[in-house]
Amino acid sequence: MTIERDALNKTATITNNKSETGQITVTKNVTYNNVADDVTETFYVALYDSNGDDKQLVSEVKAISLTDASTGTATFTGLTVGTTYYVYETTQDGTVVGSGYAYAVDGQGTAVTIERDALNKTATITNNKITVEISVIKDWDDSSNQDGKRTESVTVKLLANGEDTGKTVTLSAENNWTASFEDLAKYNNGTEITYTVEEIEVPEGYTAAVNGNATDGYTITNTHAGDNNHQCREGVG
């Protein structure tokens, strides 16, 4: 600014424009049957521009690494005021977790808007592993093993949505011909898993029929072909 003889009094204005940005802190909780569960695992979260099928990733992917812990956080900074962000749990490359995920995820797609009078926002995503137990009973329809064809034990395998899980139980007189598959995940990414059972090798001369369901348990009845006219049937015991 120049002071001139004919304009000795001058003015100047300095304007400071405050550039405001916000942040979102995402808390990750891990539970087992709805109780906090300490795990050693890495989870990933990210922000999207919507919760629709055509949503686009608008942030970097943040890792939340837990070491023998049930909760952790990640913070996204530099977020635009007036913008709504959608919080998702993702894979490491930013793909929203889907089929094949081991947890039921609560909080997916949470909408968070950055506001001028509320720049620091939070969101929570909870992963809950709910388990079930499935019982199996072996019933023999062979007139108390009248023909001596009954095997000392049978092996039953567990299927999840029709696929072999690799889990088996052995039934015999020693366990009263009953056993259970325990600690089974109830959900796969929020969708309930359908469990069924199948006898691996049906004893020669027998047919096997499966009745029941995963909630009440399954009974596999082995009927000896030579006993179709017998009246005596032996159950568990």
Side-chain angles (χ1 to χ4, degrees), residues 133-138 153-159 164-172 175 177-182 184 196-201 218 220:
E133 179 178 322
I134 298 174
S135 64
V136 184
I137 295 172
K138 164 58 62 184
S153 66
V154 296
T155 302
V156 177
K157 66 181 180 181
L158 179 72
L159 295 89
D164 192 347
T165 65
K167 298 179 183 293
T168 63
V169 292
T170 299
L171 308 179
S172 68
N175 56 18
W177 298 102
T178 183
S180 295
F181 294 96
E182 301 176 343
L184 304 173
T196 53
V197 296
E198 183 179 312
E199 191 167 337
I200 292 179
E201 292 185 8
Y218 287 101
I220 302 177

Side-chain angles (χ1 to χ4, degrees), residues 17-24 75-83 85 113-121:
N17 290 320
K18 184 179 180 181
S19 178
E20 293 181 315
T21 59
Q23 67 179 38
I24 299 173
T75 300
F76 297 90
T77 60
L79 305 179
T80 305
V81 173
T83 299
Y85 298 89
T113 302
I114 303 299
E115 302 168 299
R116 181 161 277 105
D117 58 351
L119 296 175
N120 299 327
K121 292 295 189 72

Side-chain angles (χ1 to χ4, degrees), residues 44-102:
Y44 300 92
V45 291
L47 305 180
Y48 278 76
D49 63 354
S50 75
N51 58 2
D53 293 338
D54 58 348
K55 54 184 171 290
Q56 298 295 315
L57 184 67
V58 294
S59 74
E60 63 178 313
V61 177
K62 296 274 191 178
I64 301 176
S65 296
L66 305 183
T67 302
D68 197 25
S70 63
T71 187
T73 62
T75 300
F76 297 90
T77 60
L79 305 179
T80 305
V81 173
T83 299
T84 298
Y85 298 89
Y86 296 82
V87 183
Y88 280 92
E89 180 161 352
T90 70
T91 60
Q92 189 173 3
D93 65 3
T95 303
V96 175
V97 293
S99 178
Y101 201 49

